[in-house]
Amino acid sequence: MTLRFCQNLRLPLVPPSNFAIKSTRTRRLSVHNSLLDSNDSRKLVLEVKEKLEKEYPSLPVGKNGRDDEDVILWFLKDRKFSVKDAVARLNKAIKWRQEFKVSELSEESVKNVAQTGKAYVHDFLDVNDRPVLIVVASKHFPAMQDPAEDEKLCVFLIEKALGKLPAGKEEILGIFDLRGFGTKNADLKFLTFVFDVFYYYYPKRLGEVLFVEAPFVFKPIWQLAKPLLKSYASLVKFCSVETVRKEYFTEATVPASLRN
């Protein structure tokens, strides 16, 4: 028995309100309308950059480091241009990248777990020009596989998907193929890890998540997982294979595993 419903679980859009800037000793800015002109954005980026250098001088520099202005701007947007919040999130994210050794991940380092076919980045973009990360749940066996290796594969594939972003695009599509899913494939800890990684370290990069052909046995797992996924639970859409084929890909770009 499978669940075939496709209502979108996104929260309703709220019209942006006027932004207000509050000056304090730390110059914390709260911007409800996240659109600032380039000069204001530049000033905030430099302020965050300066604070990171002063407060966390041991953090690495360079790409994805404390002086990476593109990354700083991205976290500012995520934190609604609050300098204080952006600094805190960036400190956490950069430290995590160091500890997880993200820069050392490669096709070779995840080769063994990748060969299971449990997850991969699709060769083609979806109809909205988003890179696509696919998880085949029936090939995931937490009792038999090393969770650390699964986590490395997850992060490597996120990095790979983001590397395929076309100019002007910012989000990726996640697809969980739940056909054949059983209790032996259930892994609440890993599912939470995936969404936590996006929430804390790759904010606003996950545009939508499709749970495809979710069987009845998946329902209690989702009820447990949903509260743990924070705001990302609103990105989830349950749907059928047919919906994926017709609404997210062209005939030429449908993933091979979803053609049947």
Side-chain angles (χ1 to χ4, degrees):
M1 179 180 179
T2 59
L3 300 176
R4 291 176 175 267
F5 58 100
C6 297
Q7 76 260 32
N8 196 318
L9 300 182
R10 287 179 179 272
L11 295 174
L13 293 175
V14 179
S17 58
N18 294 329
F19 68 83
I21 301 179
K22 298 179 181 179
S23 297
T24 66
R25 185 164 55 89
T26 59
R27 200 187 171 201
R28 177 176 181 176
L29 285 88
S30 174
V31 183
H32 300 291
N33 182 339
S34 62
L35 299 178
L36 293 178
D37 65 43
S38 58
N39 288 334
D40 287 338
S41 296
R42 175 66 178 161
K43 290 177 183 177
L44 294 179
V45 166
L46 293 177
E47 183 173 350
V48 171
K49 187 175 177 180
E50 181 181 343
K51 282 182 174 293
L52 286 170
E53 181 180 8
K54 181 180 179 180
E55 298 174 15
Y56 307 103
S58 63
L59 291 177
V61 296
K63 185 174 174 59
N64 293 306
R66 61 175 168 79
D67 62 345
D68 187 327
E69 295 186 3
D70 290 335
V71 172
I72 291 173
L73 179 59
W74 189 262
F75 274 78
L76 272 168
K77 289 178 179 178
D78 175 59
R79 296 290 90 194
K80 299 180 179 178
F81 291 95
S82 164
V83 169
K84 181 179 179 180
D85 290 350
V87 168
R89 278 296 182 93
L90 279 161
N91 175 47
K92 181 175 181 175
I94 296 169
K95 282 182 177 177
W96 170 80
R97 292 185 69 89
Q98 264 190 311
E99 294 166 0
F100 201 87
K101 298 181 179 178
V102 176
S103 63
E104 297 178 22
L105 296 175
S106 65
E107 296 279 359
E108 183 64 26
S109 68
V110 300
K111 179 176 65 175
N112 291 337
V113 65
Q115 287 176 344
T116 64
K118 66 170 65 179
Y120 61 95
V121 174
H122 185 41
D123 292 335
F124 299 98
L125 306 177
D126 75 348
V127 294
N128 296 308
D129 290 331
R130 297 177 296 190
V132 183
L133 200 168
I134 299 175
V135 176
V136 183
S138 63
K139 296 182 179 182
H140 179 65
F141 299 98
M144 300 169 58
Q145 295 160 344
D146 185 350
E149 294 303 306
D150 289 333
E151 292 176 1
K152 289 178 183 178
L153 177 64
C154 170
V155 174
F156 172 75
L157 292 179
I158 292 172
E159 290 277 321
K160 183 176 180 178
L162 292 176
K164 291 169 64 73
L165 281 169
K169 298 296 180 178
E170 301 177 336
E171 299 177 336
I172 67 176
L173 171 68
I175 298 179
F176 284 77
D177 184 353
L178 295 171
R179 292 173 298 173
F181 176 90
T183 54
K184 62 185 179 298
N185 309 118
D187 193 347
L188 183 61
K189 183 177 179 180
F190 180 68
L191 184 62
T192 305
F193 170 82
V194 173
F195 282 89
D196 276 353
V197 164
F198 275 108
Y199 182 81
Y200 291 110
Y201 312 129
Y202 299 94
K204 296 190 182 299
R205 290 301 194 183
L206 190 59
E208 191 173 7
V209 181
L210 306 180
F211 282 176
V212 182
E213 302 286 2
F216 185 77
V217 69
F218 183 74
K219 185 175 180 180
I221 296 168
W222 172 242
Q223 293 305 316
L224 289 172
K226 188 176 179 181
L228 304 176
L229 305 187
K230 307 175 181 65
S231 60
Y232 276 69
S234 67
L235 301 179
V236 172
K237 175 180 177 180
F238 286 83
C239 63
S240 66
V241 171
E242 184 178 6
T243 296
V244 177
R245 293 190 200 119
K246 291 184 177 180
E247 297 184 12
Y248 292 88
F249 298 95
T250 65
E251 186 175 344
T253 63
V254 174
S257 62
L258 297 175
R259 289 184 181 274
N260 302 321

